[in-house]
Amino acid sequence: MSKWKHLAPPWAATQYKYWPPAWMKHEKIRPWRFDKGVYARLPGHYIKRKLELVSREPIPVHWRPVQGKYKIHPRTGERVRIQNVAIPVMYPKEADQGLWGGEGVIKGYRKKKIKNRWIPSWWVPTIRKRVLYSEILDRWMEITMTERAMMLIDDAYGFDFYILKTHETDLKSQLGMDLKREMLLTLVRKSMYPDNPEKQQKIYKKYKKFIVPEYEAEWIGLSLEDAVKKKLAMEEKRRTPVALQDIYTEELVESLQSGEFFKDQEQVKPKTLWEKIKPLIFEDTKETDKKKKSR
């Protein structure tokens, strides 16, 4: 039995009743893939995030769910169950290169007049280029984004807060996840504003609640393909033997650069001629005394 079965999304139970979301088909995330091979050796926190990505319901963007379980049919007056079915939305590759705020491309049908036929059509979000500033990374960025993404940034009180607060299922952007990973690593390592310690401490306190351990932050936002490559590279690095000559050479170079090598040399003072000869003289006298006593 799979140890990740309790985290499986509803569409994973059977392939006939439920289908995976359209925006997850390119990722090919299935719970049973994490039970064997290199997938089973991936970190537990990474597997949990990936399964949560497909099991967690995203915030509705293109439709409004009806509250409650039942409603009265307007014509028959019967009590019918409410079925909240999400509109299928497609997310092209361009969505991963910008911040669309959960919006995507919708395919449907429409007709201009009542007597006309239904015509297949596409609804595409309006995308604009905007320049944004990251307080943590101390960098200006030109990003393609929608008006909804701009509104969400304003609601979160800043670009950094929006990236760190928003879940991956609602962000729906590889660029956003890459920025989140970079921000978290910068916060953990405290590498922001090295020349200004006061501002560094101020930024650290401001975003302190989002900090996660470094070993976990390194895996956030990685696709399955990138995660497998990283895991295999880590295992290969452990397997390859390192010659002792290379290890000792690196230690010697580090000690020379840090100055510890010269400190050790100063502590060991060279012996004088008398210090070298003294043990030999005393050994000879001890031997002669022993011979005399034996006679």
Side-chain angles (χ1 to χ4, degrees):
M1 186 181 288
S2 173
K3 63 180 179 180
W4 307 106
K5 192 174 181 181
H6 65 285
L7 295 173
W11 51 260
T14 169
Q15 58 178 344
Y16 303 106
K17 195 171 183 181
Y18 298 101
W19 288 93
W23 57 274
M24 286 308 305
K25 284 184 180 179
H26 70 282
E27 192 74 44
K28 295 181 181 178
I29 296 175
R30 302 291 185 273
W32 51 85
R33 293 187 69 182
F34 298 107
D35 287 336
K36 47 187 170 181
V38 68
Y39 298 102
R41 300 197 298 272
L42 292 173
H45 56 82
Y46 176 80
I47 296 174
K48 190 174 181 181
R49 281 178 180 273
K50 278 298 174 186
L51 292 177
E52 188 181 356
L53 175 63
V54 294
S55 60
R56 185 176 181 273
E57 293 185 5
I59 296 173
V61 178
H62 298 281
W63 64 288
R64 294 181 181 178
V66 181
Q67 300 296 328
K69 292 185 178 180
Y70 300 94
K71 67 177 181 179
I72 303 299
H73 198 277
R75 291 184 181 179
T76 61
E78 294 179 316
R79 185 189 180 194
V80 294
R81 181 180 286 274
I82 296 173
Q83 296 183 1
N84 287 319
V85 181
I87 297 174
V89 184
M90 290 176 286
Y91 297 92
K93 293 181 179 179
E94 289 77 10
D96 284 332
Q97 300 170 4
L99 296 174
W100 287 17
E103 292 188 66
V105 180
I106 300 173
K107 181 184 177 182
Y109 297 88
R110 65 175 179 177
K111 55 182 180 180
K112 296 181 179 178
K113 296 181 181 179
I114 298 175
K115 295 182 180 180
N116 291 357
R117 294 181 178 180
W118 290 95
I119 302 170
S121 56
W122 301 81
W123 284 268
V124 183
T126 305
I127 303 169
R128 296 182 177 86
K129 284 188 177 181
R130 293 288 184 266
V131 179
L132 301 171
Y133 175 72
S134 173
E135 195 175 22
I136 297 173
L137 304 177
D138 191 20
R139 191 168 70 218
W140 291 91
M141 291 168 282
E142 187 180 20
I143 302 174
T144 55
M145 55 198 316
T146 60
E147 291 295 331
R148 186 175 188 274
M150 291 293 296
M151 292 171 61
L152 292 173
I153 290 172
D154 292 339
D155 293 341
Y157 300 101
F159 175 65
D160 294 340
F161 276 117
Y162 168 69
I163 294 293
L164 293 172
K165 282 180 180 179
T166 310
H167 196 273
E168 190 174 355
T169 54
D170 301 320
L171 205 57
K172 292 187 177 65
S173 169
Q174 188 60 43
L175 174 66
M177 293 308 299
D178 292 341
L179 289 171
K180 180 181 282 191
R181 181 172 62 254
E182 190 177 355
M183 289 177 184
L184 291 173
L185 287 173
T186 305
L187 288 171
V188 172
R189 296 169 183 171
K190 291 187 177 182
S191 57
M192 62 283 191
Y193 304 101
D195 300 331
N196 193 347
E198 292 183 2
K199 193 169 185 180
Q200 182 188 85
Q201 196 65 20
K202 183 180 177 182
I203 297 297
Y204 183 81
K205 288 181 180 179
K206 187 176 181 180
Y207 301 97
K208 189 177 181 180
K209 61 180 179 181
F210 301 107
I211 294 176
V212 295
E214 186 175 354
Y215 66 86
E216 187 176 344
E218 290 177 349
W219 294 85
I220 290 177
L222 291 178
S223 62
L224 271 177
E225 185 179 356
D226 294 338
V228 168
K229 287 180 180 178
K230 182 175 181 178
K231 184 63 178 177
L232 291 175
M234 290 169 65
E235 292 177 352
E236 187 67 24
K237 191 176 180 181
R238 291 174 187 171
R239 272 195 223 104
T240 51
V242 182
L244 291 174
Q245 182 182 357
D246 298 337
I247 296 173
Y248 295 149
T249 305
E250 289 180 2
E251 290 179 358
L252 179 61
V253 171
E254 289 178 0
S255 62
L256 287 171
Q257 290 176 349
S258 61
E260 293 180 0
F261 179 80
F262 300 104
K263 291 178 182 178
D264 296 338
Q265 291 295 323
E266 289 175 0
Q267 293 176 3
V268 180
K269 296 181 181 179
K271 293 183 178 180
T272 60
L273 182 61
W274 168 249
E275 290 177 348
K276 293 178 181 179
I277 299 171
K278 188 177 179 180
L280 299 173
I281 295 171
F282 280 102
E283 285 180 4
D284 293 340
T285 54
K286 287 179 181 179
E287 289 178 2
T288 53
D289 292 340
K290 285 181 181 179
K291 288 179 181 179
K292 287 178 181 180
K293 288 179 181 179
S294 63
R295 287 177 185 176

